[in-house]
Amino acid sequence: MYTQVWAKYLPIIKILLKKSITADQELALNRIDFEKLGIARKAGYKFTIIFEEGKAGNTIGGIQLARDLASVLLENNDTKYLFKHNTYEITLTTKFVLLITNKTKHPVPLPTAEPEENSPVEE
């Protein structure tokens, strides 16, 4: 349901994931993008996803917004590579701000020759 909205933000999220190796990152999302799809709660939604070892490491079961974000991120080869080699915490605040934190002690960046968008990722 929300995958198209998250896909719209994917290029920016990828840049922020790369930058999070040196500092925490924030992205203010456009609330209207989400309200058009039915999120009408005044307070918005709040969730945290922890990505480790190439997958979402915590339960996000009941929150469709979180599941769709995880799906979009895990379908992309660049973000999949980063999640395989680093631990990230991605939080959506009630004010529709996405917070990205790299929790890895020794973060691994993308290789300088970045994988192509549709190329397979080594397991």
Side-chain angles (χ1 to χ4, degrees), residues 12-116:
I12 300 164
I13 294 171
K14 283 173 33 176
I15 291 167
L16 296 179
L17 285 168
K18 293 174 196 174
K19 287 183 173 184
S20 72
I21 286 175
T22 56
D24 294 350
Q25 302 295 311
E26 287 186 16
L27 173 61
L29 304 172
N30 185 348
R31 177 185 294 261
I32 294 169
D33 288 340
F34 297 92
E35 289 174 347
K36 286 179 186 175
L37 295 173
I39 297 180
R41 291 177 51 177
K42 256 187 180 175
Y45 280 91
K46 182 178 180 177
F47 63 78
T48 298
I49 308 171
I50 298 170
F51 291 96
E52 54 190 348
E53 299 176 7
K55 58 188 175 203
N58 60 325
T59 305
I60 51 175
I63 304 170
Q64 185 69 41
L65 194 60
R67 285 197 319 262
D68 288 352
L69 173 59
S71 174
V72 167
L73 292 173
L74 291 171
E75 288 172 2
N76 179 273
N77 288 332
D78 290 341
T79 54
K80 195 172 188 176
Y81 178 90
L82 290 171
F83 294 156
K84 184 175 180 181
H85 298 284
N86 298 283
T87 299
Y88 287 91
E89 181 178 282
I90 298 179
T91 299
L92 179 68
T93 70
T94 57
K95 297 195 182 291
F96 287 94
V97 175
L98 202 64
L99 307 173
I100 299 172
T101 306
N102 188 320
K103 298 285 195 176
T104 312
K105 288 182 183 178
H106 304 289
V108 177
L110 275 173
T112 39
E114 295 182 5
E116 290 184 27

